[in-house]
């Protein structure tokens, strides 16, 4: 096996660099000729800068070290659908692509942020609400695996995320979560907590 760092992306200053920063990798997919081919001017600079900085944030890991919050490692084929490749990359960092008010492409996610606008009763014309998490049918144990060079590129499990009280009361129902471009167990566990919280909202 050989690991070749041959794919370069542009950093925020425009220089070609090797980077595993999830924000820079997705940004490259947006603008690359083999990707979505959007011009740089189509991207919302502020949101991409914030997301790249979020991905680079050092997060403590066991042993007293730290790692960047979100990295992307892996590969895709040029035969793959671009929307599928984009979804795989976004799943490695809890990212979401959106269109800004002035028609540019922005990105958000990864960590909790305060809302820009708070909607009150005065703003709502109509609304549909329904129960979210159903303890009788939805999963209460989340399992996950990641792949990294440090583990010989073999799927490696992390500690499951288990709702002990729900398992005791309703029985165990497990689900697998395997974003295939996550190279770190710590990163996967952070993503699993986010995924579990989103899937277990009381109302939607």
């Amino acid at each position: 096996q050989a690991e070749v760092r041959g794919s370069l992306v542009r950093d925020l200053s425009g220089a070609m660099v090797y980077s595993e920063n999830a924000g820079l990798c997705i940004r490259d997919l947006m603008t690359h000729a083999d990707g979505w081919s959007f011009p740089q001017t189509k991207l919302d600079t502020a949101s991409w800068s914030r997301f790249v900085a979020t991905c680079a944030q050092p997060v403590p890991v066991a042993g007293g070290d730290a790692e960047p919050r979100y990295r992307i490692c892996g590969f895709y084929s040029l035969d793959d659908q671009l929307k599928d490749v984009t979804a795989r990359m976004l799943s490695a960092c809890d990212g979401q692509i959106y269109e800004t008010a002035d028609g540019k492409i922005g990105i958000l996610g990864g960590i909790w942020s305060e809302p820009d606008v708070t909607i009150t009763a005065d703003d709502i014309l109509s609304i549909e609400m329904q129960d979210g998490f159903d303890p009788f049918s939805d999963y209460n144990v989340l399992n996950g695996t990641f792949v990294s060079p440090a583990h010989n590129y073999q799927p490696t499990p992390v500690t499951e995320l288990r709702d002990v009280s729900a398992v005791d009361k309703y029985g165990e129902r497990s689900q697998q979560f395997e974003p295939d471009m996550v190279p770190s167990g710590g990163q996967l566990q952070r993503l699993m907590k986010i995924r579990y919280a989103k899937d277990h909202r009381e109302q939607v």
Side-chain angles (χ1 to χ4, degrees), residues 9 17 21 30 62 78 83 85 126 131-132 158 161 169 184 190:
V9 300
V17 299
N21 182 289
M30 292 291 108
L78 295 181
K83 61 181 181 62
V85 176
S126 65
D131 291 336
V158 298
L161 191 59
K169 193 171 183 179
S184 155
R190 292 191 291 277

Side-chain angles (χ1 to χ4, degrees), residues 1 32 43 51 71 77 84 112 138 140 147 165 186 191 196:
Q1 292 179 342
H32 199 282
L43 303 187
F51 194 77
R71 293 183 292 144
S77 167
D84 296 333
W112 166 256
D138 294 337
N140 47 36
V147 175
S165 60
L191 291 167
Y196 194 94

Side-chain angles (χ1 to χ4, degrees), residues 140-141 162-173:
N140 47 36
V141 177
R162 172 181 289 264
D163 185 336
V164 176
S165 60
V167 170
D168 290 344
K169 193 171 183 179
Y170 303 106
E172 180 176 328
R173 286 182 301 279

Side-chain angles (χ1 to χ4, degrees), residues 142-171:
L142 188 60
N143 298 294
T145 60
F146 69 99
V147 175
S148 78
H151 298 82
N152 295 320
Y153 299 96
Q154 299 302 307
T156 304
V158 298
T159 302
E160 64 186 12
L161 191 59
R162 172 181 289 264
D163 185 336
V164 176
S165 60
V167 170
D168 290 344
K169 193 171 183 179
Y170 303 106

